[in-house]
């Protein structure tokens, strides 16, 4: 039997095509078995944008930076994660994906700064120390990630009624009861649909 060898260039092309096809098959089959509703069920309730890991990272961030005094609500009471998920639901997909990637990166940043753990696994004080030290870094990317996450969490926290008494804010001047906007109502309906 006479076997003619395949030229090296053809072999490499065939290998590349084969690897691409097998990667596509694996990715497609994994997406078929991934439960679409299950990924939204988190310890913070149903989330439509953030997954459990991202929500936990942001909660760890909030736990480190929010006030600890007894008259201040915690991140659960002020619904920081749920409100953030709600806001992300209505922004463009590219913005939401960028934030989620930044949160995923935040989880591993402490390892590059001498910590032997991921962000969400550090103690509250270690997280705070890391965030404070990251303000002095020369990396604009690291500063952008930590500052933007801080801004988002503070916006959700101090925008929630539960924090108003602690900061001596007596609410809107008009004193008209809050009316849920159609946008917020739509989000709540989507959450209920995912609970079913």
């Amino acid at each position: 039997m006479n076997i003619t060898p395949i030229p090296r260039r053809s072999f490499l092309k065939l290998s590349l095509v084969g690897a691409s096809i097998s990667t596509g098959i694996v990715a497609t089959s994994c997406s078929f078995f991934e439960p679409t509703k299950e990924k939204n069920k988190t310890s913070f309730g149903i989330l439509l944008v953030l997954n459990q890991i991202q929500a936990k990272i942001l909660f760890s961030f909030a736990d480190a930076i929010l006030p600890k005094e007894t008259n201040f609500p915690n991140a659960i009471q002020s619904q920081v994660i749920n409100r953030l998920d709600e806001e992300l639901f209505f922004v463009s997909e590219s913005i939401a994906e960028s934030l989620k990637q930044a949160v995923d990166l935040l989880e591993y940043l402490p390892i590059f700064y001498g910590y032997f753990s991921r962000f969400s696994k550090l103690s509250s004080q270690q997280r705070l120390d890391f965030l404070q030290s990251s303000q002095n870094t020369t990396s604009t990317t690291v500063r952008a990630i930590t500052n933007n996450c801080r801004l988002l969490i503070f916006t959700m926290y101090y925008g929630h009624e539960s924090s108003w008494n602690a900061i001596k804010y007596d609410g809107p001047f008009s004193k008209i009861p809050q009316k849920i906007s159609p946008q917020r109502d739509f989000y709540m309906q989507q959450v209920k649909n995912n609970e079913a």
Side-chain angles (χ1 to χ4, degrees), residues 36-64:
T36 52
K37 288 187 180 179
E38 285 298 317
K39 70 177 182 180
N40 294 334
K41 290 182 180 174
T42 71
S43 55
F44 304 94
I46 298 291
L47 299 178
L48 303 180
V49 179
L50 299 169
N51 63 31
Q52 170 67 26
I53 295 168
Q54 293 158 346
K56 187 177 177 184
I57 296 165
L58 286 166
F59 177 77
S60 300
F61 195 108
D63 182 58

Side-chain angles (χ1 to χ4, degrees), residues 2-18:
N2 191 5
I3 300 174
T4 42
I6 299 174
R8 184 172 182 251
R9 187 174 290 227
S10 298
F11 176 75
L12 291 173
K13 283 181 182 177
L14 285 171
S15 298
L16 184 62
V17 169

Side-chain angles (χ1 to χ4, degrees), residues 48 78 90 93 102 147 182:
L48 303 180
S78 57
F90 292 104
E93 191 173 331
N147 287 333

